[in-house]
Amino acid sequence: FFQKTLTAVKNWFTLFGWSKGQNPISIPYSLRRDVCKAQMTSSQEKVFKKNLGKDTKTFYDMLFHLSGQLLPGITSSQSLSLDPVERMLQLHWQYSTLLAFLKSQGAYLPHVMPEFLLEPDDYKKWIKVQTVLKVDVKNSDLFNDKHLFILEDSVFETMSKRAWTDVLLQMYKVFVLPRVSSLSITDLFSLESTQNIPRIKLELLSSNIYSPYERTILTWLNKHYEKNRKTVWKDCQKGEVPPVRWIVNFDRDLLDGLVLAAQLAAYCPYLIATHFVRMYTSPRTHEQFLHNCLILVNAMHAVSLAIDIKV
């Protein structure tokens, strides 16, 4: 599940996270590497340009594109010290500033420490510096070892990958989802056919899982499923019209492909006869779920959706 989430995040930010078209990323490798532009001599700069390219984009370019803001004291082409320890401390400060900024915008990242965003070698330097500090300032309030996590190399890479993925997901939540308009939400259930469907509350404190913008999307899913289920599957080949249902999450309620097919049919009704009538309307086995999802993916490819969707 986590690998699928990471792939989806990587694909979205590769396609839509940059101001001038696509820019491939790898999580966490390119995000950690490309932000480490150091001050160099002319000979070093030639090697740098050869390896990374003259116009290498950094994570801060992505942040500026999505939020319209730069972190305090940090530019999109931040240069770093040549001294390895000073460079590591500078990066740690930048990541601390990044996490504080995201949290101030509504991101939920209590489990992500700045050191988890560092390169492995820099993380080892961070642990060494903190260990020395612990010896030098024993019993001092300046040092608090309860937040010092000493991880093995393989564990650190797993933690770093998870931390960067969560940072990107929270960036999506606070900078992209708020663009979902709520102006017409009061009209989503105005149709007679949806009057008896339970409504999803959009108030800020009505859910401790989903944001108001995510609940807006759930409302949209409910509307189109209820509006279109009888139209899409009135002539279905593998069952009857699917029953009334309430979509309240983004995992279990979307597994059978029917809800997403109803959304796509709302905008591309010509796909009903060529694709959706062949779906199982009451799938029970893994094979039937897979059958439905394959049809849905084929339908998306048929309308050339610019997303790398795989089953």
Side-chain angles (χ1 to χ4, degrees):
F1 172 79
F2 174 68
Q3 185 60 44
K4 290 180 179 179
T5 301
L6 184 146
T7 300
V9 171
K10 180 182 70 174
N11 288 344
W12 192 92
F13 279 89
T14 290
L15 291 169
F16 309 115
W18 310 91
S19 60
K20 296 181 180 179
Q22 301 180 18
N23 184 53
I25 67 168
S26 57
I27 303 173
Y29 310 109
S30 69
L31 299 176
R32 295 186 312 203
R33 180 195 67 223
D34 294 349
V35 80
C36 298
K37 292 183 176 179
Q39 296 174 346
M40 302 176 182
T41 64
S42 57
S43 60
Q44 290 174 316
E45 187 174 1
K46 290 179 182 178
V47 176
F48 173 79
K49 290 181 179 179
K50 180 179 179 181
N51 292 338
L52 288 182
K54 181 179 179 180
D55 299 318
T56 300
K57 298 178 182 178
T58 72
F59 174 81
Y60 300 116
D61 294 305
M62 178 194 294
L63 179 65
F64 180 74
H65 172 62
L66 295 176
S67 70
Q69 303 179 63
L70 288 174
L71 299 181
I74 300 175
T75 65
S76 61
S77 57
Q78 186 75 25
S79 60
L80 301 172
S81 172
L82 287 174
D83 179 78
V85 175
E86 288 295 328
R87 173 178 168 278
M88 176 274 295
L89 292 174
Q90 188 177 351
L91 281 171
H92 191 276
W93 173 81
Q94 288 184 13
Y95 292 141
S96 298
T97 303
L98 168 67
L99 293 174
F101 170 72
L102 292 177
K103 290 174 184 177
S104 72
Q105 301 298 310
Y108 186 73
L109 294 164
H111 59 294
V112 177
M113 303 296 177
E115 51 267 29
F116 297 160
L117 304 178
L118 294 169
E119 289 271 17
D121 288 343
D122 286 334
Y123 172 73
K124 293 176 183 178
K125 294 185 183 73
W126 166 257
I127 293 299
K128 184 176 181 180
V129 168
Q130 296 305 302
T131 303
V132 172
L133 182 61
K134 181 179 180 180
V135 174
D136 290 346
V137 290
K138 201 178 289 185
N139 300 321
S140 170
D141 290 337
L142 294 175
F143 184 85
N144 188 346
D145 64 351
K146 71 177 182 178
H147 294 310
L148 181 60
F149 296 95
I150 302 177
L151 306 175
E152 298 290 336
D153 291 351
S154 60
V155 176
F156 171 77
E157 282 292 7
T158 300
M159 182 68 77
S160 183
K161 185 179 295 185
R162 179 61 184 267
W164 275 106
T165 301
D166 288 346
V167 164
L168 293 177
L169 283 169
Q170 291 298 309
M171 284 176 56
Y172 184 89
K173 184 184 81 171
V174 300
F175 299 131
V176 180
L177 277 185
R179 300 174 191 172
V180 177
S181 173
S182 60
L183 296 178
S184 59
I185 294 306
T186 55
D187 299 327
L188 285 180
F189 285 93
S190 61
L191 297 174
E192 182 179 353
S193 62
T194 60
Q195 285 300 308
N196 296 325
I197 300 296
R199 303 190 181 190
I200 295 173
K201 294 182 179 180
L202 302 176
E203 290 79 7
L204 183 61
L205 299 179
S206 63
S207 172
N208 64 348
I209 299 176
Y210 295 129
S211 69
Y213 311 105
E214 291 168 311
R215 296 197 295 278
T216 297
I217 295 175
L218 287 173
T219 300
W220 172 72
L221 292 172
N222 276 283
K223 172 209 170 183
H224 281 305
Y225 175 77
E226 181 56 29
K227 178 183 176 183
N228 295 319
R229 64 185 178 87
K230 294 180 180 179
T231 303
V232 176
W233 292 287
K234 66 179 180 179
D235 299 320
C236 60
Q237 302 170 4
K238 299 182 181 295
E240 300 177 348
V241 172
V244 174
R245 62 199 285 188
W246 193 25
I247 299 99
V248 295
N249 58 62
F250 293 103
D251 43 21
R252 292 188 303 274
D253 290 340
L254 304 184
L255 282 177
D256 59 12
L258 296 174
V259 174
L260 293 177
Q263 316 309 309
L264 193 53
Y267 301 96
C268 306
Y270 51 84
L271 293 172
I272 296 174
T274 58
H275 291 77
F276 301 143
V277 293
R278 296 184 284 113
M279 298 178 77
Y280 287 97
T281 54
S282 298
R284 292 182 175 84
T285 66
H286 292 298
E287 291 76 13
Q288 291 174 345
F289 276 73
L290 177 61
H291 172 88
N292 282 1
C293 291
L294 286 172
I295 289 177
L296 180 62
V297 170
N298 288 336
M300 291 180 174
H301 289 164
V303 294
S304 301
L305 282 179
I307 302 175
D308 184 20
I309 303 173
K310 299 178 181 178
V311 176

